[in-house]
Amino acid sequence: MTDVRVRFAPSPTGALHIGGVRTALYNYLFAKKHQGTFILRIEDTDQTRYVEGAEQYIAEALHWIGFEPEESPLKGGNYGPYRQSERKDIYKQYADQLIELGHAYYAFDTPDELDTLRKQDPEFKYGVKTRNSLKNSLSLSPDEVQRLLAQGEHITVRLKIPADEIIEFTDHIRGHVSFDSNELDDKVILKGDGMPTYHLANIVDDHLMKISHVIRGEEWLSSTPHHVIMYRSFGWQAPEFAHLPLILKPTGQGKLSKRDGAKFGFPVFPLSWIAENEEDSFIGFREDGYLPEALGNFLALLGWSPGDDEEILDIETMIPRFSLDKIVKSGARFDIDKALWFNQQYIIKADNHRLASLISKQVATLGYQADAAYLSEVCRLMKERVHRTHEIVSKGMFFFSAPTTYDDATIIKKYKAENKQHLLNIADQLMTADQASIESAVKGYVQDNQLKLGEFMPIIRIAISGNMQGPDLIESMALLGGKESAQRIKTAVDHFEKVIHA
């Protein structure tokens, strides 16, 4: 195999959709599998759709999830610039070359004229069957062409699609693909403002940057014959192609869109995106409590399989096993429950200090003070009970403040009037207990007084946390400390008495 060079080439038009993240992941895995180069290129030729901050968002998203490019606008490289808007002069010379070779032509039709044609015929294509009757350098006299060029209005350059040919290529995922050239349109490759369209810029940049494999979404499959024609017209070797399947809505019907996150109640972007209006603002997987390695694992298996039943695969494990021929053709349904499962597995395996650093800001925002060692212990106790990192705090709130409400339904069932003095006696013992003696202070008292642990411990749990949910009770009390546990029991007893005597 030739030197592998692949690129992820998003447009900075807003937040990076999760489908784009998967495309970046597959490019990254393929490059690393073959000791190749992963490149980030920003395709910003359509300045009307450029969104401030989008390029920084893309770079931060790739950094967070762990797909660091070797070449990019930030890092530079031997084949830059890596922003297409900085390569404008390059494209013009190649458009001129295609015109000189007879593979492209000037078109002077106004937008209004083309809109009229489309209204008259919804199937209208600017191509083999229509171009000789339209306003372009193929149908007009040389003098008229020169006059219109000098006038300088409504000038575009279009690719001249050859008539009566079968354009074919091999796709790593879809196999042999062919198109009838008569059904293709003469796409605009250079706009009136001198900026290239995706089609020209993409081809020129991939050639000059020595891209060996183009791995991109299947929405570009229908444009690939135009690209094959351009490679042939320039006399260049085309890269190998692989068009990825769609990521589908949770229903399995239709492509997952950026609006589906709000509709279904889950993120569809790696990081949160804050826009001027709420409708265009979205929460990201990072802010919703997902670990990047969990998201990467989940996305990798949306369309690719290592060939066995193994599911927990970190990036380093995926790299040697990744191959394009194991990517399926059909769309992959986005299952948020599966994403949560992956996240839970990675949270369980995660270092407690790392988890503590992830929740520290959340804890501080809520107004609580806790050092790193304490937060680390909270994470250790809670991480098997959560699916997202922020749930460590929300579900373990009793580690930060005493409960203000209690599971009264369970109290009514389990609490008895004679429990009061026993609970107060346990509280007295806890006042002087250290972490090591908390278990004996509680369980020892229960056993010495011939009480039943199964009946008594739930009452203590509710006193400590407010409900029946939570990690190991004794470990939780040890972390809170004897005095805090004792005070909670005394406060709860007053509440329990009111409940049963109400």
Side-chain angles (χ1 to χ4, degrees), residues 431-460:
M431 287 297 293
T432 57
D434 58 19
Q435 282 190 330
S437 60
I438 282 178
E439 181 171 11
S440 60
V442 176
K443 291 185 177 180
Y445 180 90
V446 171
Q447 292 168 351
D448 289 346
N449 288 272
Q450 298 180 335
L451 304 172
K452 294 181 179 179
L453 282 171
E455 294 179 1
F456 213 78
M457 296 301 279
I459 301 172
I460 298 178

Side-chain angles (χ1 to χ4, degrees), residues 201-354:
N202 171 284
I203 295 305
V204 170
D205 287 347
D206 283 351
H207 174 71
L208 296 180
M209 294 181 182
K210 301 186 184 300
I211 299 302
S212 62
H213 295 75
V214 170
I215 305 168
R216 59 189 176 189
E218 73 170 29
E219 63 268 25
W220 295 110
L221 184 64
S222 62
S223 298
T224 305
H226 296 84
H227 303 165
V228 170
I229 289 169
M230 277 194 276
Y231 278 112
R232 187 179 72 185
S233 299
F234 282 120
W236 297 340
Q237 175 68 44
E240 297 181 42
F241 295 102
H243 288 88
L244 306 174
L246 295 175
I247 296 179
L248 304 176
K249 300 176 190 289
T251 59
Q253 302 297 315
K255 180 181 178 181
L256 183 73
S257 74
K258 68 178 185 179
R259 301 290 177 194
D260 286 333
K263 179 179 178 182
F264 293 106
F266 56 74
V268 294
F269 298 99
L271 317 178
S272 289
W273 175 261
I274 308 302
E276 293 181 358
N277 55 73
E278 187 175 347
E279 183 183 351
D280 292 323
S281 298
F282 308 98
I283 190 170
F285 277 94
R286 180 179 66 182
E287 291 74 15
D288 201 34
Y290 287 78
L291 298 179
E293 58 269 37
L295 180 59
N297 194 158
F298 168 66
L299 289 178
L301 299 180
L302 281 182
W304 169 77
S305 168
D308 53 31
D309 295 330
E310 190 173 355
E311 291 189 292
I312 302 299
L313 301 163
D314 60 24
I315 295 295
E316 294 306 313
T317 304
M318 290 182 209
I319 288 172
R321 302 173 69 174
F322 184 79
S323 63
L324 296 175
D325 60 4
K326 290 183 179 177
I327 296 175
V328 299
K329 297 179 185 179
S330 57
R333 185 176 67 86
F334 191 92
D335 182 353
I336 193 63
D337 290 333
K338 193 68 174 180
L340 286 167
W341 179 82
F342 274 110
N343 204 46
Q344 182 183 47
Q345 305 311 305
Y346 278 91
I347 287 174
I348 291 171
K349 294 196 303 180
D351 177 77
N352 297 323
H353 297 290
R354 177 192 175 196

Side-chain angles (χ1 to χ4, degrees), residues 51-281:
V51 174
E52 190 70 35
E55 181 183 327
Q56 291 79 6
Y57 176 98
I58 292 166
E60 184 180 352
L62 295 184
H63 175 75
W64 174 69
I65 205 165
F67 314 153
E68 291 289 355
E70 284 82 23
E71 300 172 24
S72 70
L74 290 176
K75 288 190 175 180
N78 296 329
Y79 299 89
Y82 293 91
R83 292 185 190 91
Q84 289 186 335
S85 59
E86 298 172 4
R87 301 169 63 86
K88 182 177 176 180
D89 293 341
I90 297 174
Y91 307 123
K92 176 68 166 62
Q93 70 184 55
Y94 284 102
D96 290 344
Q97 185 178 332
L98 283 178
I99 293 172
E100 291 171 9
L101 292 169
H103 299 305
Y105 59 92
Y106 294 110
F108 307 102
D109 316 85
T110 68
D112 288 344
E113 290 169 341
L114 293 175
D115 284 343
T116 298
L117 289 170
R118 293 187 184 102
K119 288 176 183 177
Q120 293 172 350
D121 179 9
E123 302 297 319
F124 169 77
K125 279 191 180 74
Y126 204 125
V128 172
K129 299 175 183 177
T130 60
R131 61 191 175 211
N132 288 331
S133 61
L134 299 170
K135 194 189 299 184
N136 55 61
S137 57
L138 300 178
S139 62
L140 301 174
S141 68
D143 289 343
E144 181 67 3
V145 169
Q146 290 305 312
R147 186 186 71 80
L148 291 172
L149 287 173
Q151 187 175 308
E153 295 181 0
H154 307 298
I155 303 172
T156 61
V157 177
R158 287 182 178 271
L159 178 67
K160 184 181 178 184
I161 299 293
D164 305 321
E165 285 192 22
I166 299 299
I167 309 301
E168 52 191 352
F169 58 93
T170 299
D171 187 279
H172 275 275
I173 298 170
R174 296 163 197 285
H176 180 262
V177 182
S178 63
F179 291 82
D180 181 347
S181 68
N182 294 329
E183 299 299 319
L184 303 177
D185 59 332
D186 290 359
K187 291 197 179 295
V188 173
I189 58 173
L190 197 71
K191 295 177 284 189
D193 61 0
M195 291 295 282
T197 63
Y198 170 84
H199 306 289
L200 177 64
N202 171 284
I203 295 305
V204 170
D205 287 347
D206 283 351
H207 174 71
L208 296 180
M209 294 181 182
K210 301 186 184 300
I211 299 302
S212 62
H213 295 75
V214 170
I215 305 168
R216 59 189 176 189
E218 73 170 29
E219 63 268 25
W220 295 110
L221 184 64
S222 62
S223 298
T224 305
H226 296 84
H227 303 165
V228 170
I229 289 169
M230 277 194 276
Y231 278 112
R232 187 179 72 185
S233 299
F234 282 120
W236 297 340
Q237 175 68 44
E240 297 181 42
F241 295 102
H243 288 88
L244 306 174
L246 295 175
I247 296 179
L248 304 176
K249 300 176 190 289
T251 59
Q253 302 297 315
K255 180 181 178 181
L256 183 73
S257 74
K258 68 178 185 179
R259 301 290 177 194
D260 286 333
K263 179 179 178 182
F264 293 106
F266 56 74
V268 294
F269 298 99
L271 317 178
S272 289
W273 175 261
I274 308 302
E276 293 181 358
N277 55 73
E278 187 175 347
E279 183 183 351
D280 292 323
S281 298

